[in-house]
Amino acid sequence: MIKLSLPREPRWLDLHPTVRVKVRPCTTPLVEAARAMAARVMADIINGSDDLLMVEHDVADLQKKLLDPDWCAGVRQFVYVQCLAKAAILEWDGDGVKNAAGEIGKITTENLRDVLLHSDIKDVFMQEFTKPLMQVVAEGNV
């Protein structure tokens, strides 16, 4: 039997002692929108568009790196996580998202990239954000 117990309200996730985010509920449409966005962004990256900045600071040799299938898979996953975060995060807080003036930075593509380049933060975001859907799967409610 399907349980309709997925969160319906935004919630705060602690990603790191210095970063917390308020996210929309993790729903199938949100996840699918992030997948579609990631596919589009990856196509743009492979074609050399400005979305290269979504991946890393140094984009000079990224095109060469993308020829390696393992590197390309890693970039694809990182892009997906960023797209999911972009679709999900409503606001953030903590010293880890403050700018040089000590103010909370805006949620931009570049700022998301910089925060998610910390693999521990990226991993906790994916685990905690998708946890409600994974619990439904684990309970056999699919």
Side-chain angles (χ1 to χ4, degrees), residues 52-86:
L52 293 173
L53 286 175
M54 188 174 203
V55 181
E56 59 182 71
H57 296 282
D58 178 19
V59 298
D61 64 346
L62 183 60
Q63 292 297 336
K64 287 185 264 181
K65 290 178 184 175
L66 289 175
L67 296 174
D68 177 328
D70 295 330
W71 188 268
C72 192
V75 170
R76 182 176 290 112
Q77 179 61 24
F78 186 63
V79 167
Y80 170 66
V81 171
Q82 283 189 80
C83 291
L84 192 59
K86 188 182 244 185

Side-chain angles (χ1 to χ4, degrees), residues 22-141:
K22 186 175 188 179
V23 293
R24 292 178 169 86
C26 184
T27 63
T28 300
L30 187 142
V31 169
E32 293 304 322
R35 285 183 180 150
M37 185 188 322
R40 180 187 48 76
V41 169
M42 271 308 290
D44 290 347
I45 287 171
I46 289 168
N47 291 325
S49 80
D50 290 337
D51 281 336
L52 293 173
L53 286 175
M54 188 174 203
V55 181
E56 59 182 71
H57 296 282
D58 178 19
V59 298
D61 64 346
L62 183 60
Q63 292 297 336
K64 287 185 264 181
K65 290 178 184 175
L66 289 175
L67 296 174
D68 177 328
D70 295 330
W71 188 268
C72 192
V75 170
R76 182 176 290 112
Q77 179 61 24
F78 186 63
V79 167
Y80 170 66
V81 171
Q82 283 189 80
C83 291
L84 192 59
K86 188 182 244 185
I89 295 174
L90 298 167
E91 60 183 286
W92 56 15
D93 190 27
D95 289 340
V97 294
K98 289 185 178 176
N99 60 24
E103 301 165 338
I104 300 294
K106 293 184 180 193
I107 301 171
T108 64
T109 298
E110 290 81 11
N111 286 344
L112 276 171
R113 175 204 59 211
D114 291 348
V115 169
L116 293 171
L117 276 171
H118 298 273
S119 62
D120 55 336
I121 293 174
K122 174 203 59 84
D123 291 344
V124 172
F125 171 74
M126 284 300 293
Q127 179 182 354
E128 293 302 314
F129 180 66
T130 61
K131 185 184 282 185
L133 286 181
M134 296 302 105
Q135 287 173 332
V136 168
V137 170
E139 292 172 0
N141 291 321

